[in-house]
Amino acid sequence: MNSKQWSRRQVLTGTARAAAGAAITGQLLGMGTNLASAQMPHPDPLHDDRLTFVTSTEASPWQTGSVLKPTFSWEMLNLNVDPATASKTRRPIEGFGACFNELGWTSLSALSEQDREAVLRELFDPSTGARFSYCRMPIGANDFATGAYSYDETDGDFELNHFSIDHDKQTLIPFIHAAQRYQPKLRLWASPWTPPSWMKRNRFYAEAAAFPGMGFKDNGIRPDQVGHEGEDMFIQEPRYFEAYARYFGRFIDAYRAEGIHVDMVMPQNEFNSAQNFPSCTWTAEGLAHFLHHLGPEMDHRGVDIFFGTMERGNRKLLEAIMADKAVAPFIKGVGIQWAGKNALPEIHREFPNLAIYQSEQECGDGMNAWTYTSYCWQLMKHYLRSGASGYMYWNISTDLSGKSTWGWAQNALVSVDTSAKNYRFNHDYYLLKHLTHFVDVGARAAEVTGTCDDALGFLNPDGTLVLLIRNELSHTQLVQVELPGRAFALELLPDSISTLSVKSS
């Protein structure tokens, strides 16, 4: 397929002829003529089995879009992509997924077995749907757990004689096993929200009272137990560090015995945030002390360590870790979420050898609105343009309220009506599917240029080119895509997200 290149002279000549012809026709038929629509030839559909074009709007997700032969219009945007720009120096995509939370499983368990399996197949089957390949899980309780717990709440049990993952056998383990039936090669990484409470200075799972005005539940914390950003709430003593590192090791071993392999950990979720749900604040220096113990414990199990999850836009937090020469070799990457995104470009430039994961897409307010999905597109574009090689959503599923055990309503890929026993996929799911259904593990980012800047490009290992394109306008927009030796036009529906897949042959 060859591109039709329009010079200014050809455009003006064609316009004049079309306008003159239209005027004569209008006079003969006694009809009015819309001069604007007559100025350019009507674009013809293009039928090519090598092209797949899917588009989603608020009202109509995942529909086949229109691919047209090369054309021209006064308001056409252009999008130039050269597969050769998929630099071998950029880290390839390592996977996409979401987090296995307890309330995700309890909500899906309200469905019939047939419906639950349909959801899991859509999310994890590598031949259809979202094709999730790399997911997150908690080590112990998080804010979407059924309640506060750890794997060893026996005070002073430094030998971990009472360590047990029995709690997880009711929720997280069957959830992950169910996903593995559709994706046997599913990869996992994990992080704690809190250590066992006896390892913390406040001897409590949380570090903040319920935030006023947000409908959060009272957790019973005392004023003297409240923690603060910039302090180490974990007890900074060698025997506590040693026991906690072995706690991580016991977690890895216990899950492997269940047929679930976790191949990467991050030492603490949001270590700057004192929350009314399971949480633990650390300083970067405190985490460095712990990593002296965690590093060897994970290393002899073949488990990687990432620094994170990092939720502040301050690259100095990572610099403090990497400055410790004994700890730095253990750090293979960094997990970034929330305000951490502001430091992402600097981190990628300063530490190009570290993998970067978007470790948790921001959770929203439980309304699952299309407007928030539009914001999530901007997040996705920022992370994947700035060097992220993994992208993880947060909640896989919640009930219709979207509320955590502690009362915070958040978005999810799937909402379940536990009374009616039915479900729906939300807008965020289709946005993520526009990426994950087409972009393979091992794909590399490809540079996109032109007047259509709201786009992402990838080159899959098999040579397939994938383009994600957003049209935030309230009217249809034509975009001419130019590849080496071929061109075509796309009709972007109003306020839509679209994916074009172009096979190499």
Side-chain angles (χ1 to χ4, degrees), residues 248-257 260 262 265 298 301 303:
F248 272 71
R250 292 285 295 274
F251 161 77
I252 296 295
D253 296 343
Y255 262 81
R256 284 181 178 176
I260 298 171
V262 176
V265 296
M298 294 296 98
R301 288 176 170 81
V303 176

Side-chain angles (χ1 to χ4, degrees), residues 1-6 44 46-48 50-51 68-72 480-489:
M1 182 188 341
N2 294 320
S3 170
K4 175 90 178 268
Q5 303 295 330
W6 295 79
D44 297 320
L46 176 63
H47 304 289
D48 189 332
R50 296 170 295 177
L51 306 179
L68 310 169
K69 293 180 180 179
T71 184
F72 180 89
Q480 184 126 311
V481 178
E482 296 279 353
L483 306 178
R486 60 199 304 198
F488 32 81

Side-chain angles (χ1 to χ4, degrees), residues 28-96:
L28 291 173
L29 298 179
M31 298 170 58
T33 301
N34 185 333
L35 184 59
S37 64
Q39 285 182 340
M40 295 300 156
H42 182 74
D44 297 320
L46 176 63
H47 304 289
D48 189 332
D49 292 339
R50 296 170 295 177
L51 306 179
T52 300
F53 186 50
V54 178
T55 189
S56 293
T57 64
E58 180 177 11
S60 300
W62 210 255
Q63 55 184 301
T64 300
S66 297
V67 183
L68 310 169
K69 293 180 180 179
T71 184
F72 180 89
S73 78
W74 292 114
E75 296 180 354
M76 173 174 280
L77 300 177
N78 70 296
L79 181 60
N80 309 309
V81 191
D82 185 349
T85 63
S87 171
K88 299 297 184 184
T89 61
R90 282 289 293 274
R91 186 178 292 269
I93 292 295
E94 296 183 44
F96 306 112

Side-chain angles (χ1 to χ4, degrees), residues 267-398:
Q268 173 64 47
N269 178 71
E270 297 185 349
F271 59 90
N272 289 289
S273 296
Q275 304 280 17
N276 74 310
F277 46 80
S279 54
C280 185
T281 53
W282 297 72
T283 65
E285 292 75 18
L287 283 172
H289 292 318
F290 174 50
L291 289 168
H292 279 269
H293 301 268
L294 182 63
E297 193 76 24
M298 294 296 98
D299 191 48
H300 82 256
R301 288 176 170 81
V303 176
D304 288 339
I305 297 174
F306 277 34
F307 179 68
T309 62
M310 183 174 166
E311 87 283 30
R312 294 289 183 266
N314 180 4
R315 73 178 189 275
K316 294 186 182 299
L317 297 169
L318 176 59
E319 290 173 347
I321 297 292
M322 300 305 288
D324 188 321
K325 302 303 181 185
V327 166
F330 293 120
I331 306 301
K332 308 303 181 185
V334 55
I336 296 176
Q337 57 195 52
W338 291 89
K341 63 181 177 286
N342 299 322
L344 171 57
E346 294 175 333
I347 287 173
H348 185 49
R349 285 192 295 269
E350 187 173 355
F351 301 100
N353 293 326
L354 291 183
I356 295 173
Y357 291 175
Q358 191 283 118
S359 44
E360 177 186 310
Q361 184 176 287
E362 296 171 26
C363 63
D365 58 2
M367 300 300 292
N368 294 294
W370 176 256
T371 51
Y372 195 81
T373 300
S374 299
Y375 168 68
C376 292
W377 159 252
Q378 298 299 330
L379 289 176
M380 181 183 290
K381 187 170 63 172
H382 172 71
Y383 277 95
L384 294 173
R385 282 184 173 182
S386 301
S389 58
Y391 196 92
M392 285 78 187
Y393 196 79
W394 175 224
N395 281 303
I396 290 176
S397 174
T398 66

